[in-house]
Amino acid sequence: MRKLFKTLFSLGGLALVGGLVYKGTSNLLNEKEKKINKFKKYYNTTNQWLYNKNKGINLSEYFINKGYNNIAIYGMGELGCRLYEELKETPVKVSYAIDKEANSRYSEVKVIELNQEFDDVDAIVVTPIFDYESIKEILVGKTDNTIISLEDIFYDLT
């Protein structure tokens, strides 16, 4: 009986360890999959941006046609910086940017943090496209400005 109890206890321990290893591996795989999906989204958006440019479609036309003459950029990572660079010599004014790391971001445009007061603009363009929905939810609670995803803009242009 004791031997049976020891065997069952050992098997239970092995199952528990196996379950923990599986859960850890599963979490790791989920995190890797999220990163892969994030970069796929970035790749597809950047590819669409380049496709539009090669077709002679200017990003500023989108904003002007929609009546968005004065915008803010949410997120001054790579896509946010490229967006600002493309718009800075056009009639579309980038009034400011919003970024969690406002103090550590170098930019030619004023960068504020999410907890600061937003000036009124025609639209806020969200550049972290992988997290658009959750960012939009936060922004809706802070402003009445139109909120759009950079990804959606590129697909609306074609």
Side-chain angles (χ1 to χ4, degrees), residues 45-66 68 83 86-87 92 125 148-158:
T45 299
T46 305
N47 187 54
Q48 188 64 39
W49 194 340
L50 188 56
Y51 174 83
N52 291 345
K53 284 187 89 53
N54 288 341
K55 291 286 187 182
I57 301 169
N58 294 318
L59 191 53
S60 62
E61 292 173 12
Y62 170 87
F63 293 104
I64 292 166
N65 289 340
K66 294 282 187 178
Y68 303 149
L83 175 61
E86 183 158 334
L87 294 176
V92 179
V125 181
I148 49 179
S149 169
L150 182 62
E151 179 182 35
D152 292 341
I153 292 169
F154 291 122
Y155 291 103
D156 283 352
L157 282 169
T158 55

Side-chain angles (χ1 to χ4, degrees), residues 36-95:
I36 289 168
N37 289 335
K38 173 182 172 178
F39 287 111
K40 277 183 183 178
K41 235 175 166 24
Y42 275 147
Y43 169 81
N44 290 333
T45 299
T46 305
N47 187 54
Q48 188 64 39
W49 194 340
L50 188 56
Y51 174 83
N52 291 345
K53 284 187 89 53
N54 288 341
K55 291 286 187 182
I57 301 169
N58 294 318
L59 191 53
S60 62
E61 292 173 12
Y62 170 87
F63 293 104
I64 292 166
N65 289 340
K66 294 282 187 178
Y68 303 149
N69 301 308
N70 183 20
I71 68 163
I73 299 173
Y74 181 98
M76 286 305 286
E78 297 299 325
L79 291 178
C81 289
R82 298 303 78 78
L83 175 61
Y84 175 73
E85 289 166 357
E86 183 158 334
L87 294 176
K88 73 179 178 181
E89 300 295 325
T90 71
V92 179
K93 180 183 178 204
V94 178
S95 291

Side-chain angles (χ1 to χ4, degrees), residues 4-17:
L4 178 62
F5 181 72
K6 274 183 156 179
T7 303
L8 289 175
F9 186 74
S10 295
L11 289 175
L14 284 174
L16 178 64
V17 168

